Amino acid sequence: MAWKVFGEMFFNDSSAMRTNNPYEANMFYIPAMTYAYSSNLGDTLVHATRVIDHVRATWPFFNRTRGLDHFMWLTNDQGACSWPGATHPEMANVIKVVHYAWHHPFGKSLPSGWDRLQNKHWGCFHPLRDICATPYWNGQAETAAATYGLAGSAPAFDAKVIPTQRLLFFAGGIRHHEPGYSHGTRQELHRRFGKGQHPNVTIHEGSFPDYTAAVRGSKFCVAPSGHGWGIRLSQYMAQGCVPVIIQDDVYQAWEDLLPY
């Protein structure tokens, strides 16, 4: 949803931020709409390549900088993980706005699943070029307003009161048969706590009765990845549960601005 909200705001912008004169522009937005082509789990590379080839052949601005001043949203599950690296500079140079920012620093041992990536230089995300943006879900603003009493509404959650019902909570897919899923985080937590080993910790496989009440009644909520990015981080923050981020080598949204 984030790419749609951005597009609506961008194309309806009447301020000086957006110009219709490309010779005045410092940056160029490519509305590739890759999610509409690939959906959540599909590969964006084929569609994005054709879009970039069209942009390069139609206007002079991309070739002027080899794409360094062009940006594109890639909000599918694994973002730019299927894109090539330095061997294809016309693809690598584009600024990618993603939700899944898996980046592997040089000098560390290779993480599980790294061998399947097209770009083994920096993976799915380059922290000096790309942007990890916050995912957006329907009802997000209304949920946050109701939780914290924004816009004059009565709060459903008191941030000064620490919930005592549950210390740690997670409910969702575990997938023990897929060790690379969530980088192994969900599976390990379920092995340690999934059978009630700790009375104040709930790590539940599958759906959970009255999920919203369980989140709001917990002090901490686990925010792992899945196949790619996860929506839980923003959901927990909107519902008043402190997210516990367990995502090695994965940058979070606006990490260069927010003190995670």
Side-chain angles (χ1 to χ4, degrees), residues 80 92-98 101 122-132 256:
N93 289 344
V94 173
I95 300 169
K96 302 160 190 70
V97 185
V98 300
W122 56 78
C124 312
F125 177 82
H126 197 306
L128 298 181
R129 178 201 57 228
D130 300 328
I131 298 170
C132 183
D256 54 337

Side-chain angles (χ1 to χ4, degrees), residues 217-230:
S218 303
K219 181 177 181 180
F220 298 104
C221 295
V222 180
S225 60
H227 282 118
W229 65 274

Side-chain angles (χ1 to χ4, degrees), residues 90-110:
E90 70 281 2
M91 302 294 291
N93 289 344
V94 173
I95 300 169
K96 302 160 190 70
V97 185
V98 300
H99 296 324
Y100 187 53
W102 188 17
H103 171 75
H104 179 67
F106 287 111
K108 295 181 65 177
S109 59
L110 293 178

Side-chain angles (χ1 to χ4, degrees), residues 137-150 155-159 161 163 169 210-221 231-243:
W137 43 281
N138 287 329
Q140 176 174 306
E142 293 80 1
T143 299
T147 300
Y148 297 104
L150 306 177
F157 171 82
D158 187 349
V161 177
F169 175 76
D210 203 347
Y211 180 82
T212 298
V215 169
R216 287 181 171 171
S218 303
K219 181 177 181 180
F220 298 104
C221 295
I231 195 69
R232 287 179 173 82
L233 174 61
S234 57
Q235 286 182 336
Y236 293 157
M237 294 175 71
Q239 294 173 357
C241 188
V242 179

Side-chain angles (χ1 to χ4, degrees), residues 47-218:
H47 177 68
T49 301
R50 291 173 178 171
V51 170
I52 289 176
D53 286 345
H54 174 73
V55 170
R56 294 173 64 198
T58 307
W59 296 282
F61 310 104
F62 190 99
N63 295 327
R64 188 175 59 182
T65 63
R66 303 183 77 181
L68 287 168
D69 52 3
H70 286 60
F71 70 97
M72 177 188 297
W73 281 80
L74 299 170
T75 57
N76 60 305
D77 211 29
Q78 295 195 349
C81 289
S82 62
W83 284 42
T87 56
H88 295 74
E90 70 281 2
M91 302 294 291
N93 289 344
V94 173
I95 300 169
K96 302 160 190 70
V97 185
V98 300
H99 296 324
Y100 187 53
W102 188 17
H103 171 75
H104 179 67
F106 287 111
K108 295 181 65 177
S109 59
L110 293 178
S112 174
W114 196 259
D115 56 337
R116 65 176 170 79
L117 300 181
Q118 290 285 336
N119 176 14
K120 295 179 176 56
H121 292 89
W122 56 78
C124 312
F125 177 82
H126 197 306
L128 298 181
R129 178 201 57 228
D130 300 328
I131 298 170
C132 183
T134 310
Y136 183 89
W137 43 281
N138 287 329
Q140 176 174 306
E142 293 80 1
T143 299
T147 300
Y148 297 104
L150 306 177
S153 62
F157 171 82
D158 187 349
K160 297 179 181 179
V161 177
I162 303 299
T164 57
Q165 178 180 340
R166 187 180 289 107
L167 176 64
L168 181 68
F169 175 76
F170 173 84
I174 302 296
R175 305 196 184 193
H176 287 287
H177 62 287
E178 295 183 43
Y181 184 70
S182 78
H183 300 267
T185 298
R186 302 188 191 201
Q187 299 89 325
E188 183 63 27
L189 286 173
H190 192 260
R191 279 191 289 268
R192 292 174 179 263
F193 302 108
K195 295 182 179 180
Q197 293 94 322
H198 193 292
N200 210 21
V201 173
T202 298
I203 305 296
H204 179 81
E205 183 171 12
S207 60
F208 196 85
D210 203 347
Y211 180 82
T212 298
V215 169
R216 287 181 171 171
S218 303

